[in-house]
Amino acid sequence: MWRADETELLPGAPVGTAVLSEGPKLPDEWWQALNASLDALAAQDTSRIATPDTITITQALITESIRSAFPGGFDTSVEQWVPAHADLNWANVTAPTFCLFDWEDWGNAPQGLDSASLWGSSLAVPALADRVRQERRHDFESRDGKLMTLFVCSKILGPEAHPKDPRLEPARRMAEQIIAEIQTD
């Protein structure tokens, strides 16, 4: 079997590194394009499974990751799996024209993985993290979106956490809030 990839020049430079330390100036049209792209992607059908961080995402991986950082008796079962980019961060999107690139990890993943990943890479800039949550509200309000937020927080706060990571405290606060919400659902 042969594989061919078609490439073209990106319409702009990447917004930044995977994790930002200062907020980019993104027009409303950029956010509209992000939302339209993620919604269109989630509406597709594929048998391919996402591989965030080059590891196939499974229910067992999600549970193990969340439990490694947040032991507790809440259910970590994912209900809805949809196509996702699976490596959404600020190094994989361009501006001022929106373009999402670096697709080698894409495939089915829990609803909200992409939104939670972009939020996690925004945590050092609180206004940007808030904007991501506002724009992708429907993902974050879903049970699966809450689990994916915990999944992302577990990567920030887990056993390999860097003690000077500026995302630690915001991730810790959000994780506490989400765990309380999940336990009362």
Side-chain angles (χ1 to χ4, degrees), residues 95-142:
T97 301
F98 173 81
C99 178
L100 179 55
F101 63 97
D102 192 17
W103 285 89
E104 73 270 7
D105 295 322
W106 86 279
N108 281 322
Q111 177 188 353
L113 174 64
D114 284 341
S115 298
S117 297
L118 189 61
W119 169 82
S121 68
S122 306
L123 281 178
V125 184
L128 183 60
D130 289 346
R131 179 73 188 257
V132 171
R133 285 189 63 80
Q134 172 193 346
E135 292 292 334
R136 303 300 302 161
R137 183 178 318 111
H138 67 277
D139 280 340
F140 289 107
E141 290 175 350
S142 72

Side-chain angles (χ1 to χ4, degrees), residues 1 3 6 16 26 38 53 61 64 70 86 104 111-112 116 149-150 153 157 160 162 169-170 182:
M1 177 187 281
R3 175 182 168 166
E6 180 179 338
L26 300 170
L38 293 182
D53 301 321
L61 175 68
E64 179 183 316
F70 316 111
E104 73 270 7
Q111 177 188 353
T149 303
L150 284 179
C153 288
L157 299 169
E160 297 176 22
H162 189 281
E169 192 52 39
I182 287 176

Side-chain angles (χ1 to χ4, degrees), residues 9-185:
L9 203 56
L10 294 172
V15 171
T17 58
V19 176
L20 293 183
S21 57
E22 55 184 69
K25 306 270 188 275
L26 300 170
D28 288 340
E29 296 78 27
W30 188 95
W31 291 100
Q32 291 165 0
L34 168 75
N35 287 326
S37 294
L38 293 182
D39 291 345
L41 176 59
Q44 301 307 306
D45 229 357
T46 185
S47 59
R48 184 179 166 119
I49 306 298
T51 56
D53 301 321
T54 67
I55 299 169
T56 301
I57 193 162
T58 63
Q59 180 62 62
L61 175 68
I62 293 162
T63 298
E64 179 183 316
S65 297
I66 291 173
R67 293 277 181 255
S68 73
F70 316 111
F74 57 91
D75 183 15
T76 61
S77 299
V78 172
E79 296 170 6
Q80 187 173 4
W81 294 72
V82 298
H85 179 272
D87 189 21
L88 184 53
N89 63 64
W90 296 106
N92 291 336
V93 291
T94 63
T97 301
F98 173 81
C99 178
L100 179 55
F101 63 97
D102 192 17
W103 285 89
E104 73 270 7
D105 295 322
W106 86 279
N108 281 322
Q111 177 188 353
L113 174 64
D114 284 341
S115 298
S117 297
L118 189 61
W119 169 82
S121 68
S122 306
L123 281 178
V125 184
L128 183 60
D130 289 346
R131 179 73 188 257
V132 171
R133 285 189 63 80
Q134 172 193 346
E135 292 292 334
R136 303 300 302 161
R137 183 178 318 111
H138 67 277
D139 280 340
F140 289 107
E141 290 175 350
S142 72
R143 185 172 188 291
D144 291 338
K146 291 176 184 180
L147 288 173
M148 288 303 91
T149 303
L150 284 179
F151 180 70
V152 168
C153 288
S154 74
K155 293 178 181 186
I156 297 168
L157 299 169
E160 297 176 22
H162 189 281
K164 294 186 180 186
D165 187 337
R167 302 173 302 156
L168 289 175
E169 192 52 39
R172 190 173 289 114
R173 283 193 309 270
M174 181 58 71
E176 289 171 0
Q177 176 186 332
I178 290 174
I179 290 169
E181 290 174 10
I182 287 176
Q183 289 174 333
T184 60
D185 284 349

